[in-house]
Amino acid sequence: MREALTSQERRLRVLLVAHAVWSALLAMSYIFTGDTEWFGSLPNSFAKDVLFVALSAIGAAGVRRRGWTALVIAAGYLALVVGQIATLVRGGTAPVDLPLAGEVSGTAVLLGWMVIDLALAALFVAWWASAVRAAHGLRYLHPIGFLALASLAEVLVEGEREAVPPEKVARNVDGYLASLQAKGKGRVQLALIALALWPLLTLRPPLPVLSPAARKTFLKRRFVEPIGGRRVLKPLRPLLQIMIRNASQMAYLGYYGDSASWGSIRYVPYRERLPDGRPPAPDDPIAPPLRTLTTMPRERYDTVVVGSGAAGGILAHRFAETGRRVLVVERGPHVDPRQFSDDEVTQYLRLYNEGALQLSTTFSLQVLQGMCVGGGTTINNALCLDPPAEVLEQWRASGVDPDELRAGIMTVRDWLSVTEIRAATTTKAAQRFGQAVQALDLPGHLEVMSANISGACRGTGYCNIGCAYGAKLTTLDCVLPWAQQEHGLDVLADVEVERIVAGNGRARAIQGRTASGEAVTVAADEIVVAAGAIGSSWLLQRSGLGGEAVGEDLHFNINSPLTADFPEVMDSFAGIQMSHAYVPEGGVPGYLVETWFNPPATQALAMPGWFERHFENMRRYCHMACGGVLVGTTTPGRVKPSRSGPQIEYQESDTDRRSVVTGLQTAGRIFLEAGATRVMPATFAYHEYRTPASLDRLPGDIREAGDLLLTSAHPQGGNAMGKVVDDGFRVRGLENLYLCDASVFPTSVHVNPQLTVMGMAQYAAGRILS
Ligand SMILES: Cc1cc2nc3c(=O)[nH]c(=O)nc-3n(C[C@H](O)[C@H](O)[C@H](O)COP(=O)(O)OP(=O)(O)OC[C@H]3O[C@@H](n4cnc5c(N)ncnc54)[C@H](O)[C@@H]3O)c2cc1C
C-alpha cells in the first residue's frame, strides 16, 4: 500500500503545480508580447519556461519519487542569476517601460528579477529538503546526504538477497548520527554530500539520479580502482579515500547493524544462543552498583581525579582509601552494566569517544577510546600483558623506575584477579590458531592471554560493547564501586573538564561543563589528571599548563586485521573476542598477532572487498575467523590543539608499516595452517591469498599509507615522563597537579597497554601519597 504524502510533500506539490502554471503563462506571454528585436531572446525565454513547466509537472505528478526536479528548477534559477550578473557586469540593459511604473532603469529591473530568482531557488531547495526530511523522518542527515547514502547502500551492499532495503539502511544511519554527540559526524555528513555531488564535476547527473548500474561503474572507475591502483594524485587520495570509506562504513553499519540482516549471515546474538533463549541470571555482582552524583557538587574536595578509566579508577581508589574526600569527574555517561544492550551500534554511540569515529588529521588512522564511566576498561578486552623488560629499561632514562612499576603491576594483577582466559570461553578459531602456531614451530611463543575476567564470563563475544554480566573486573564494575562503598568516593559523570585553574605554582580548581552547557567549578587541594592519551594533553593545552612538550611524543599500537575463510562453520562470534597471541622471539616484539572477532557491523568494517565481493564475504561471516596484527609505533605523532578540539597528527612510518605487513604474512601463514582456504588483509584494493607462498606478494600489495586499514585502540604518550611530568608524576611547575595515565608513557609499550597503565597508576599513587 502506498504511504500517504506528508503535509510537507503536499506543500511542495502545490508549489510545483503553481510554478508550472506561472511558467506556462510566462511562456504564452513571450509568444504574444515577447521582444523580437534581439535575435534569440524570445525563443530562449520561451524554451526556458516550457522546460520549467515540464520539470514542475513531472515533479508534481510524483512528488515523493520525482520531487528532486525541484532541485533542477532551483539550479535553473541560479543559472538565470548568473546570466543576470553577466549582463550587469557588461553594462546592463536599456531602460524598460513598465505598465504602471513608466520607464524604469534596466539595472533596477535586472536586480528585481535577480531577487525573485534567488528567492525562488531558495524556496524550491528548502521545500524539497523539508519534504524529504518529513517523508523519511530524518533527524540529522541532510536530504542530499541521505539520498546519497541510500543510493550508495543500494550498490555497496550488493546482492540479490539484500535483507535491509537501502532507504532503511540510510534511515538507520540517520538515527545513529542523530543520537551521537561528536564532531566527526559533521565529517560524515560532508563526505556524503560531496559524494552525491561529485559526479557534477565530471558532468554527469548526481549519484542518486544515476541508475544503480551506472552508479556502481562510476564508483568503481572514479574511486575504488584509481585509489586502489594508486592512480590518484597524492594530496587528493586521502580525501577521496575518506569520502568513499566513510560512505561504505556508514552503509555497512546501517545494514549489518540492523538485526534484519543477521539471519542472512547466520549471526546469532548471545541471548538466542542459549537453549531456552534466556540468559542465565547474572552471578552475584562483584560490587554494589556505582552511584553517580545527581546534583552538581558545591563542596571543596581534597582530591579531584579527572577521568575514570584504567588509571583514574585505580588512583581514585588509592587516594580515597587514605581517608581523603575524593571526586572523580568523567566526561562520558554513567551506564549501569545491567542496562548494556547487545546492539553493537547502540553501545558504540553510548560508550565510545566520538562514537568510534575519531580519526587522525590525515584520515589514515582511526583511534578508538572509551568515553564513559570506566573509560577504556568498560569496552576493552581486559587482556593483561606484561610490558617487555626491554621497554621498561628504555623508560628508565626518562625517570620510570622499572622495579616500582613491576611491583605496581603485581599488585594490580592480584587485586583484579588477573588469570589466564578459560579455554571454555574461547572460540574454535582461536583454538585452531593456537594449534597452528605450535604446528608451524614459529620462533617465539604462543600465549593464551591473561585478563581481568572472572569465572562469570560466558563468552558472549561482547567485551568491546561492554559486559552486561559483570565478568570483567573493570573500574566501572568494581574499582570505583569498592572505593565508593568503603571510602565514600564521589563520581560525577557527563561533565567535561575544560580547564584547570592554577596560579602561584598551585592548581586550585577544575572548571567544566555538563553536556547541556551548565558550567561547573570544583575546588580541590590536589588535582590528578587521568583523562587518557589525547584527553590529558588536550586538557593541559587548554589550561596552558605543562610546557611546550605537552602533546608531543604521541605513540600508538597500530593494528590491522586479517580475515580468514574456513570451509567449515566456525561461528567465531560465539566466544570471547580475543584470547590467543603469537609473540615473535626477541626483546621488544616487532609485532604481535592476536585472535579477534566481532559482532557483524564491526566485522563488516574490517571485511575486505567492495560491492558484491564484500556482500558475498559477509555471507560467509560464520565461516570466518580474524586476527589483528599489533605494532608499537617507533615514530611519534602529536596532539595539536585547535578551536574544534584536539587534532591527532600522525602518519605511520615506512618501518612501522613494514612491521605490520610482516605480521600480516605471519598471521596468514598461521590461519592457512589452521585450515583456512584463503586469507584477506583489510587492503583498500582487494587481495586474497590462498597459499603460504602467495603471501610473498603482500609487501608489494601494501606499499603506501592508505593501502591498508589501520586502527588504534592503544594511544599512548603525549605527556611523557621526564618531559611533562617529573618522576613523582607532578606536572612540571605545579606543586599539587599530578598526571598519570597512558599519556605518561615515554614510548609505545608495544603490547596491549592497560596492565601497564594500571600498574603505573598504582606506582604513581605510591609515589604521590608517600
Ligand atoms: C576497544 C578497545 C579495546 C581494548 N582492549 C584492550 C585490552 O584488551 N588490553 C589492554 O591492555 N588494553 C586494551 N585497550 C586499551 C586500554 O583500554 C587503554 O590503554 C586504557 O584504558 C588507557 O587508560 P587511561 O586511564 O590512560 O585512559 P582511559 O581508560 O581512556 O580513561 C580516560 C577517561 O578520561 C575521560 N576524559 C577524557 N577527557 C576528559 C575531560 N576533559 N574531562 C573529564 N573526563 C575526561 C575519558 O572519557 C575516559 O573515560 C583497549 C581499548 C579499546 C578502545
Side-chain angles (χ1 to χ4, degrees), residues 306-312 329-332 352 368-377 379-385 464 495-498 530-533 535-536 539 542 578 713-715 740-743 752-755 757:
V306 183
S308 63
V329 185
E330 167 58 51
R331 68 178 169 175
Y352 278 63
L368 302 171
Q369 291 184 289
M371 193 182 97
C372 53
V373 173
T377 68
I379 43 95
N380 74 17
N381 299 83
L383 303 174
C384 287
L385 280 78
N464 289 155
V495 170
E496 175 165 4
V497 178
E498 295 177 333
S536 286
L539 179 56
R542 279 202 276 186
M578 297 183 77
H714 304 164
C740 178
D741 54 25
S743 75
N752 310 50
Q754 75 150 358
L755 185 63
V757 175

Side-chain angles (χ1 to χ4, degrees), residues 127-150:
W127 283 18
W128 169 79
S130 98
V132 177
R133 268 205 189 95
H136 298 284
L138 301 187
R139 289 158 57 210
Y140 175 75
L141 282 175
H142 185 276
I144 296 182
F146 171 81
L147 292 179
L149 182 55

Side-chain angles (χ1 to χ4, degrees), residues 159 190 196 266 321 349 418 426 450 469 513 583 728 768:
L190 213 65
R266 298 193 35 203
E321 70 187 359
L349 297 173
V418 175
T426 64
S450 294
Y469 303 99
R513 205 164 286 281
V583 187
I768 300 166

Side-chain angles (χ1 to χ4, degrees), residues 616-632:
E616 290 307 327
N617 278 346
M618 278 306 291
R619 284 183 70 80
R620 292 192 58 77
Y621 172 76
C622 61
H623 292 259
M624 300 286 190
C626 201
V629 171
L630 190 105
V631 168

Side-chain angles (χ1 to χ4, degrees), residues 216-236:
K216 187 169 149 190
T217 309
F218 182 85
L219 291 172
K220 267 190 183 165
R221 299 231 174 108
R222 302 279 166 166
F223 288 89
V224 176
E225 289 168 359
I227 297 171
R230 307 182 194 94
R231 295 195 305 272
V232 183
L233 286 180
K234 268 221 169 128
L236 200 57

